[in-house]
Amino acid sequence: MTASPSSPSRRTRLARRRTYAAGALLLAAAATAAFALTLDGSDDDRDPGARGDTSVESGTAAPGPAPADEGLLALARRDASDALAVGRADAPVVMIEYSDFQCPFCGRFARETKPELLRHYVDKGILRIEWRNFPVFGEESRQAALAGWAAGRQKKFWEFHDVVYAEPRERNSGEFSADRLAAMAREAGVPDLAKFRSDMASAQAREAVEKDQDEGFGLGVSSTPAFLVNGKPILGAQPTDTFKDAVEAAAR
């Protein structure tokens, strides 16, 4: 990941300090909750370029009990034009999701839990879900993240998301080659595949994905999927009721 050649402004440095302080709080909350992280066991498939090579998949963790920190709350972008978000920009609860398209637990959340959250909370204006690309399992993860961003340029991110996660896919086996990603985009209804390919290869796509990754790394995110519900962490594809409880508590 290449750092910007220009020096950050004082305002940017202060914002970054607040973010990293918030990240320390997130990590402390995780430790306090004694998260039981289940290693996937496929260490050879992990991205050796990921910071610390600490990506973890978990289905057994629990939400942290610590109160939400203002720095974590401020991570919600609430941009009405954000194609990688669903729900009202002014919804009282924002759930930020850090995910990798090759992560099987992310797929489980997408298939089993997200539809329930959409029906019960997003459609009623209570919840907004903001996606963050967090590709940690190698080049195919990065390409899938770029493809998702490109689909979003044509307002088809969530359709692409649903196609990718519609079924379990073997990691780093060619499932996310350029041709297969284009086929997924076609299935998702992306109208202009030439533009899709161009957007996917653009510097803007790379910068967007790197921005999401930097945000997650800055918080100490080391698992996929990882969530912040109004600033409170949840790790792993937890039971749907865990997310419902978190959303309802945040709404109150």
Side-chain angles (χ1 to χ4, degrees):
M1 201 168 296
T2 304
S4 170
S6 60
S7 298
S9 65
R10 182 173 180 273
R11 181 179 300 176
T12 301
R13 289 197 300 270
L14 290 173
R16 186 173 297 170
R17 289 191 193 112
R18 286 195 294 270
T19 298
Y20 280 81
L25 183 141
L26 184 150
L27 291 175
T32 302
F35 286 139
L37 300 180
T38 302
L39 294 179
D40 176 72
S42 302
D43 292 346
D44 291 342
D45 288 337
R46 294 181 188 168
D47 181 3
R51 299 180 192 178
D53 192 23
T54 56
S55 57
V56 174
E57 294 172 9
S58 171
T60 58
D69 178 88
E70 286 188 6
L72 298 180
L73 289 169
L75 291 173
R77 296 171 185 171
R78 293 187 178 274
D79 179 356
S81 66
D82 185 356
L84 276 61
V86 60
R88 287 171 38 180
D90 62 350
V93 183
V94 176
M95 182 174 77
I96 301 173
E97 174 186 357
Y98 300 88
S99 282
D100 183 317
F101 279 120
Q102 290 203 100
C103 164
F105 288 100
C106 302
R108 181 188 301 173
F109 172 82
R111 290 187 295 273
E112 298 177 5
T113 298
K114 186 172 76 72
E116 290 291 308
L117 298 181
L118 291 174
R119 181 163 51 253
H120 290 285
Y121 304 109
V122 175
D123 291 348
K124 295 178 181 178
I126 297 169
L127 175 67
R128 174 179 175 84
I129 300 174
E130 295 187 355
W131 170 276
R132 302 288 191 269
N133 279 300
F134 200 71
V136 290
F137 290 113
E139 183 60 24
E140 289 193 43
S141 289
R142 279 190 291 272
Q143 291 302 310
L146 295 169
W149 184 89
R153 296 287 284 178
Q154 299 185 55
K155 308 299 183 186
K156 292 293 183 179
F157 170 78
W158 291 104
E159 290 83 354
F160 178 84
H161 166 285
D162 291 348
V163 168
V164 173
Y165 283 138
E167 60 186 68
R169 301 178 190 274
E170 187 175 352
R171 190 188 304 158
N172 292 322
S173 63
E175 290 274 3
F176 296 93
S177 67
D179 287 343
R180 292 202 176 189
L181 288 168
M184 292 178 197
R186 183 184 300 108
E187 183 179 348
V190 174
D192 187 339
L193 291 181
K195 175 176 168 52
F196 168 81
R197 292 180 185 273
S198 176
D199 285 338
M200 183 177 162
S202 68
Q204 192 175 359
R206 292 193 299 273
E207 289 166 4
V209 171
E210 287 173 2
K211 178 181 178 181
D212 286 355
Q213 277 191 304
D214 281 347
E215 181 179 291
F217 284 132
L219 291 171
V221 171
S222 62
S223 63
T224 52
F227 306 87
L228 291 173
V229 179
N230 269 18
K232 293 189 178 181
I234 299 176
L235 297 185
Q238 298 300 312
T240 299
D241 284 347
T242 298
F243 290 92
K244 287 184 174 181
D245 290 346
V247 171
E248 290 175 8
R252 289 195 296 271

